[in-house]
Amino acid sequence: MSAPDDALDRPHAPPGSPEERRRSRVLLLSLDVAGSPAITLEGMDGGAPPGHERPVGWGFAWYPGEDRTALVVKDARSIGDNPMTRILREWERFQSDVFLCHIRGALRQAAPEATQPFVRPYAGRDWCFAHTGDLEGDIDRALPIGHTTPLEPVGRSDSERAFCRLLSLCRAIGARRLADVPWERLHDWCRALNDLGTCNLVLTDGEDIAVYQDRYRYNGLSWRRIVPPLGDARFAVPGFHVAYGRDEVPRSLVAVATLPDPVAGWTPMPAGQLLLLRRGSVLHDSHAGGAPEAGPAPFIPKRRVLAPERLVHVVHDTRYRYHSPVDRSVHVFRLRPVLDRVQELIEHQLELSVPGYREEMEDVFGNQAVRFTVEAPYTELAIVTRSTVRIRGGHALALPPAGRFALPLVWMPWQRQMMLPYLLPPELPETQLLELSSYAMSFVARNGGDLVDTLADINGAIHRDYAYVSGSTSIETTPYEVFVHRRGVCQDFANLFVCLTRLLGIPSRYRTGYIFTGSDYANRMQSEASHAWAEVYIPEVGWRGFDPTNGSLAGTDHVRVACGRNYRDAAPTSGTIYAGGGGELLTVSVRVEEVPAERRVRLGVP
């Protein structure tokens, strides 16, 4: 084996020295949906004055569209800006959900076959690899590949040898995708390479990305997660300048870059850490707590420790006030909690402050409603309900096992006809629906088409990436506006969840009710107003609730009241003023409390 190809990448180079500035650098972008960032290579001369620049090698790899064939642009001896570097920031077809760029230190000798990132076809897809560091010793002996494998290096660099070794190990265990390799085993492989010298690694098959930080934090890596709203977001790291959002489409991404010194907004990777990325999210973190939603299955909704059943008392007080008397009005109240095998209605009272004609009815969605007609003048209408409800837990509220259903779902014609109202997305411009559909499909791709994992991922992502901001929206706010601005309240998050799942062909509906927050929810305000979440119909299972506001499944904390295609179908109160009125003021107060043991005895509830 010849001398290491990255001879300037030595741990002893002091910070700020020319050697430090000329070390190899890596930039990695993982996007939730294919995007087209403008990337400029900077500082390739290692800080040399004009006329004394040293050539450097750089390479860039990406996976256009949904293709798993990588495109690679390389220049082994580059000085300053040139037509090839302009490709990275100006080519309109430069679009992918994975970008990997490597800048090689300013060397006296730079061979094309030693320029990274390396690309190799294996198992029906292209794999890409980048390494910063220096593996020493008898590399051929330390990293055996075998004589019968097609995974033999083209060049003589230690980095390419390490790449072929990793692919041969995948082949030995029958892994055809990076996801087929157990994460701990992959971590062991990286640590074994690290035993040979300094070693920062990036390996991707176009779907998943593995990033390993050298155990001595040599040439340190850092990461950050960026979510919309972005505008014309830009960030710079040594060697690279990224203009993100030039296509003005909301994207989420995880960026990893060589940052030996701490930089605001970036999280340094601890020594020996392994991160697994997929479509703008972290799938696995070997150092628990070092990345968002870390764990082997990060997209499972938060499973709070719930009681096997819960008995709650709900007081819902709604008051309409008017500057001038209302002479005649008609109202519809959907305030009676559901009674079924999961939820038992122990008692329910509806009190109205003005006289009128009541008519109980069941609407087309099965909601128990009251139509109330008032023909006497009034300036204030108070609607107060008191309900005691028992919610049972068990498998009725749980999801089916992951892997049981795959997308796209197949419906019989009569099933689709029955579910049609819950399959139609809201009426939005086609361009907006296309963008929302692309966003929804990113969850499908990230979860391999599994229905349960996809639903859980959407639920968790809305909870994680969208801010709960009271008063930031209205009932007219569309799912696309919520998607762009990444803020709203429970009804907005439920509407977005419903829209995304319908675009995936999953029947879903809007659900209103109440939530018992106790001491287990960060947003206690939700118990002071009616709550909203979404329900999806899973074949052979039934309707199951997802609460994106809290990132959880609907369980024994959730009191179900009304449902429909959207908010208007399930609104707790609605009405029409036919004569009089003006200057309406609405106030709503909700109190949800767990029934104490002594009151359970008085109610005769065991």
Side-chain angles (χ1 to χ4, degrees), residues 273-387:
Q273 183 183 34
L274 176 69
L275 291 181
L276 275 300
L277 313 177
R278 185 189 295 168
R279 289 201 173 245
S281 290
V282 176
L283 284 180
H284 172 78
D285 170 25
S286 63
H287 291 49
E293 303 296 315
F299 305 122
I300 294 177
K302 294 182 178 179
R303 302 182 184 275
R304 304 178 187 275
V305 179
L306 301 178
E309 71 168 40
R310 196 180 297 282
L311 186 68
V312 296
H313 183 66
V314 182
V315 179
H316 186 163
D317 188 324
T318 304
R319 296 178 185 268
Y320 293 91
R321 297 181 177 89
Y322 303 91
H323 291 294
S324 57
V326 176
D327 297 324
R328 183 175 183 272
S329 61
V330 178
H331 309 263
V332 175
F333 308 135
R334 300 179 184 86
L335 296 166
R336 187 183 185 90
V338 169
L339 172 61
D340 59 18
R341 65 188 180 91
V342 174
Q343 183 170 289
E344 181 181 358
L345 184 60
I346 306 299
E347 60 180 8
H348 174 74
Q349 298 174 349
L350 170 62
E351 301 173 1
L352 303 169
S353 63
V354 299
Y357 175 70
R358 295 191 193 189
E359 179 186 4
E360 295 189 0
M361 64 175 187
E362 181 178 300
D363 68 16
V364 69
F365 302 104
N367 302 313
Q368 299 301 310
V370 172
R371 186 187 302 276
F372 184 58
T373 303
V374 184
E375 296 183 340
Y378 64 92
T379 56
E380 179 177 338
L381 172 60
I383 307 126
V384 180
T385 61
R386 293 179 173 84
S387 306

Side-chain angles (χ1 to χ4, degrees), residues 17-18 21-22 25 42-50 52-54 56 106:
S17 67
R21 291 196 301 270
R22 292 197 293 267
R25 305 157 189 163
E42 296 181 340
M44 293 189 299
D45 59 0
H52 296 79
E53 300 92 342
R54 294 182 179 183
V56 299

Side-chain angles (χ1 to χ4, degrees), residues 302-537:
K302 294 182 178 179
R303 302 182 184 275
R304 304 178 187 275
V305 179
L306 301 178
E309 71 168 40
R310 196 180 297 282
L311 186 68
V312 296
H313 183 66
V314 182
V315 179
H316 186 163
D317 188 324
T318 304
R319 296 178 185 268
Y320 293 91
R321 297 181 177 89
Y322 303 91
H323 291 294
S324 57
V326 176
D327 297 324
R328 183 175 183 272
S329 61
V330 178
H331 309 263
V332 175
F333 308 135
R334 300 179 184 86
L335 296 166
R336 187 183 185 90
V338 169
L339 172 61
D340 59 18
R341 65 188 180 91
V342 174
Q343 183 170 289
E344 181 181 358
L345 184 60
I346 306 299
E347 60 180 8
H348 174 74
Q349 298 174 349
L350 170 62
E351 301 173 1
L352 303 169
S353 63
V354 299
Y357 175 70
R358 295 191 193 189
E359 179 186 4
E360 295 189 0
M361 64 175 187
E362 181 178 300
D363 68 16
V364 69
F365 302 104
N367 302 313
Q368 299 301 310
V370 172
R371 186 187 302 276
F372 184 58
T373 303
V374 184
E375 296 183 340
Y378 64 92
T379 56
E380 179 177 338
L381 172 60
I383 307 126
V384 180
T385 61
R386 293 179 173 84
S387 306
T388 303
V389 181
R390 176 160 61 182
I391 311 112
R392 298 182 177 88
H395 76 280
L397 297 177
L399 284 173
R404 181 175 173 185
F405 301 103
L407 293 166
L409 295 175
V410 178
W411 300 100
M412 294 295 101
W414 56 89
Q415 292 175 322
R416 179 169 290 277
Q417 184 175 3
M418 291 297 295
M419 288 294 174
L420 187 59
Y422 304 112
L423 286 168
L424 292 176
E427 293 187 5
L428 295 172
E430 183 178 355
T431 53
Q432 295 183 8
L433 287 177
L434 286 172
E435 187 56 41
L436 287 168
S437 179
S438 178
Y439 180 55
M441 284 302 299
S442 72
F443 294 98
V444 178
R446 188 156 57 208
N447 293 280
D450 182 83
L451 171 65
V452 174
D453 286 347
T454 297
L455 292 172
D457 190 1
I458 296 173
N459 200 52
I462 295 176
H463 169 68
R464 181 176 66 249
D465 296 342
Y466 293 69
Y468 188 100
V469 182
S470 298
S472 61
T473 57
S474 69
I475 62 172
E476 303 299 329
T477 301
T478 68
Y480 186 78
E481 292 170 328
V482 178
F483 165 64
V484 170
H485 299 296
R486 303 290 166 116
R487 66 174 183 265
V489 294
C490 59
Q491 71 181 31
D492 302 302
F493 303 150
N495 279 328
L496 178 59
F497 187 98
V498 166
C499 178
L500 295 176
T501 49
R502 288 181 183 176
L503 287 169
L504 295 176
I506 306 170
S508 56
R509 65 189 183 189
Y510 184 97
R511 169 66 73 178
T512 60
Y514 311 106
I515 184 170
F516 172 73
T517 58
S519 59
D520 202 23
Y521 290 84
N523 187 0
R524 300 296 297 276
M525 293 177 61
Q526 295 169 131
S527 64
E528 300 172 4
S530 58
H531 191 47
W533 60 96
E535 292 178 340
V536 302
Y537 183 83

Side-chain angles (χ1 to χ4, degrees), residues 25-347:
R25 305 157 189 163
V26 67
L27 172 68
L28 169 68
L29 303 179
S30 172
L31 285 69
D32 60 347
V33 181
S36 183
I39 301 176
T40 303
L41 303 184
E42 296 181 340
M44 293 189 299
D45 59 0
H52 296 79
E53 300 92 342
R54 294 182 179 183
V56 299
W58 62 265
F60 209 95
W62 71 98
Y63 294 80
E66 298 298 323
D67 196 356
R68 291 309 163 204
T69 299
L71 292 183
V72 183
V73 178
K74 293 185 180 183
D75 189 347
R77 299 177 59 84
S78 178
I79 298 178
D81 196 25
N82 58 61
M84 292 186 69
T85 61
R86 287 194 287 272
I87 290 177
L88 306 181
R89 64 176 184 270
E90 297 176 0
W91 191 25
E92 293 180 356
R93 293 182 58 193
F94 182 64
Q95 191 170 59
S96 176
D97 55 47
V98 173
F99 296 92
L100 175 57
C101 189
H102 182 276
I103 295 180
R104 202 159 171 240
L107 307 176
R108 289 189 176 88
Q109 297 180 356
E113 65 269 17
T115 303
Q116 300 185 49
F118 299 114
V119 179
R120 282 281 178 160
Y122 166 67
R125 63 183 63 220
D126 282 345
W127 296 58
C128 295
F129 177 83
H131 166 229
T132 65
D134 181 3
L135 305 182
E136 299 179 328
D138 189 348
I139 303 300
D140 288 344
R141 188 183 187 91
L143 302 178
I145 295 174
H147 299 292
T148 60
T149 177
L151 303 171
E152 188 174 349
V154 174
R156 298 289 295 167
S157 72
D158 59 335
S159 298
E160 189 180 12
R161 183 79 184 190
F163 180 30
C164 292
R165 171 62 175 171
L166 289 174
L167 290 184
S168 67
L169 291 171
C170 291
R171 186 170 183 262
I173 66 171
R176 300 181 60 81
R177 302 183 307 149
L178 195 54
D180 296 336
V181 182
W183 302 137
E184 187 52 44
R185 179 172 292 190
L186 180 60
H187 201 184
D188 287 341
W189 295 348
C190 294
R191 287 185 289 234
L193 290 175
N194 209 165
D195 289 340
L196 303 176
T198 51
C199 188
N200 293 317
L201 303 175
V202 178
L203 175 67
T204 178
D205 62 354
E207 290 183 357
D208 296 329
I209 308 166
V211 184
Y212 175 77
Q213 169 66 65
D214 178 78
R215 66 165 57 102
Y216 303 108
R217 287 217 82 247
Y218 158 78
N219 212 16
L221 298 174
S222 296
W223 66 271
R224 66 181 295 191
R225 189 162 187 267
I226 304 174
V227 297
L230 296 172
D232 187 21
R234 300 171 184 270
F235 65 84
V237 294
F240 307 96
H241 185 278
V242 180
Y244 175 76
R246 67 178 180 179
D247 50 4
E248 298 182 355
V249 174
R251 299 275 183 259
S252 300
L253 67 83
V254 175
V256 180
T258 302
L259 292 172
D261 300 317
V263 176
W266 291 77
T267 302
M269 291 181 62
Q273 183 183 34
L274 176 69
L275 291 181
L276 275 300
L277 313 177
R278 185 189 295 168
R279 289 201 173 245
S281 290
V282 176
L283 284 180
H284 172 78
D285 170 25
S286 63
H287 291 49
E293 303 296 315
F299 305 122
I300 294 177
K302 294 182 178 179
R303 302 182 184 275
R304 304 178 187 275
V305 179
L306 301 178
E309 71 168 40
R310 196 180 297 282
L311 186 68
V312 296
H313 183 66
V314 182
V315 179
H316 186 163
D317 188 324
T318 304
R319 296 178 185 268
Y320 293 91
R321 297 181 177 89
Y322 303 91
H323 291 294
S324 57
V326 176
D327 297 324
R328 183 175 183 272
S329 61
V330 178
H331 309 263
V332 175
F333 308 135
R334 300 179 184 86
L335 296 166
R336 187 183 185 90
V338 169
L339 172 61
D340 59 18
R341 65 188 180 91
V342 174
Q343 183 170 289
E344 181 181 358
L345 184 60
I346 306 299
E347 60 180 8

